[in-house]
Amino acid sequence: MEVIQQDIGRVILNMVNNSFYAVNEKSKAVNGTAYQPYVKITTKHILGGAEITIEDNGPGISTEIINKIFQPFFTTKPTGQGTGLGLSLSYDIIKSHGGDLRVKSSTTTDQGTAFTIYIPE
């Protein structure tokens, strides 16, 4: 399947921005501790496609809202802060390319969140 590079680029940029926002918020919340924020992007070629993972050690996503994050207009950011593409549109873009977008999150300290994008060949 041929992908639209600009669409995939926008999705990745949105996810990275979300990770930077998360680690910044956690950094403010744990002011004065030895917290070392990180955002990690990994790519790998897997059977039948490519996988891109954006991982951070921010506060994670609570179990109460994790099932809502791909819904249209859902945000955890304050008014005016959520000006990006949004996870709902990111999800739709990846699906329109025949791919999948998954989330794995923990609210345990330094476990953070990982979003994995799969794009078929």
Side-chain angles (χ1 to χ4, degrees):
M1 170 175 270
E2 194 161 322
V3 299
I4 300 171
Q5 295 174 359
Q6 294 86 350
D7 284 353
I8 302 302
R10 287 175 46 211
V11 169
I12 293 169
L13 179 61
N14 179 61
M15 309 292 260
V16 170
N17 281 336
N18 285 349
S19 287
F20 284 141
Y21 178 84
V23 297
N24 186 48
E25 289 300 303
K26 184 171 180 177
S27 189
K28 288 186 219 172
V30 298
N31 189 22
T33 66
Y35 172 65
Q36 294 291 314
Y38 76 81
V39 174
K40 178 178 165 184
I41 302 170
T42 56
T43 60
K44 72 175 131 170
H45 184 264
I46 59 173
L47 187 61
E51 203 172 71
I52 304 162
T53 301
I54 297 108
E55 180 181 2
D56 65 63
N57 67 338
I61 302 170
S62 71
T63 55
E64 293 85 33
I65 65 168
I66 200 158
N67 292 329
K68 299 176 186 177
I69 62 170
F70 294 123
Q71 292 177 3
F73 307 109
F74 181 81
T75 185
T76 59
K77 296 177 183 171
T79 303
Q81 294 288 321
T83 57
L85 184 62
L87 290 174
S88 174
L89 284 175
S90 295
Y91 183 84
D92 289 346
I93 288 169
I94 297 301
K95 285 294 186 183
S96 74
H97 285 81
D100 190 33
L101 175 57
R102 298 180 305 276
V103 62
K104 180 178 159 190
S105 186
S106 173
T107 54
T108 306
T109 304
D110 294 333
Q111 295 295 315
T113 303
F115 284 92
T116 301
I117 301 166
Y118 169 76
I119 303 290
E121 291 182 301

